[in-house]
Amino acid sequence: MDITLTHHARQRLQQRGIPEPVVAGLLDYGRGEHDHRGSTLLYFDHRAKARLRKLWGDDAYQRLEQKLDAYLVLGADGSVVTAGHRTKRINRH
């Protein structure tokens, strides 16, 4: 998948220790919620985590499981604007 990362997003991914396989998983399998301001929040729900476990296998999944609370924010143009770790539930509308 060809995705654009802003400079800010690259910095946040590095600062927050979010590895590339998690970013790829979010882009491919993450659930999207619109923020009603033009951006989309991507995160892993239970279904996405189950798909990743099948795809990656148990060993790889367990190594990355603690990073699966990550989220990405996509701008209106589809580029990754920022990234972080969820600390609260995501309110779905």
Side-chain angles (χ1 to χ4, degrees), residues 69-71 84-90:
D69 65 343
Y71 67 86
H85 293 282
R86 290 187 297 124
T87 58
K88 297 179 182 179
R89 277 182 72 97
I90 294 175

Side-chain angles (χ1 to χ4, degrees), residues 3-43:
I3 193 78
T4 304
L5 294 172
T6 64
H7 178 71
H8 178 79
R10 284 185 219 284
Q11 283 184 319
R12 293 299 178 256
L13 288 167
Q14 182 181 17
Q15 290 170 342
R16 294 170 178 160
I18 301 171
E20 192 275 328
V22 173
V23 174
L26 280 165
L27 293 170
D28 291 340
Y29 304 110
R31 180 180 176 117
E33 290 293 328
H34 296 283
D35 72 351
H36 305 289
R37 289 178 276 161
S39 297
T40 303
L41 180 72
L42 291 178
Y43 64 96

Side-chain angles (χ1 to χ4, degrees), residues 19 21-22 56 59-69:
V22 173
W56 291 345
D59 290 338
Y61 182 86
Q62 287 175 355
R63 279 195 305 275
L64 293 171
E65 188 172 17
Q66 66 191 27
K67 301 290 185 179
L68 297 182
D69 65 343

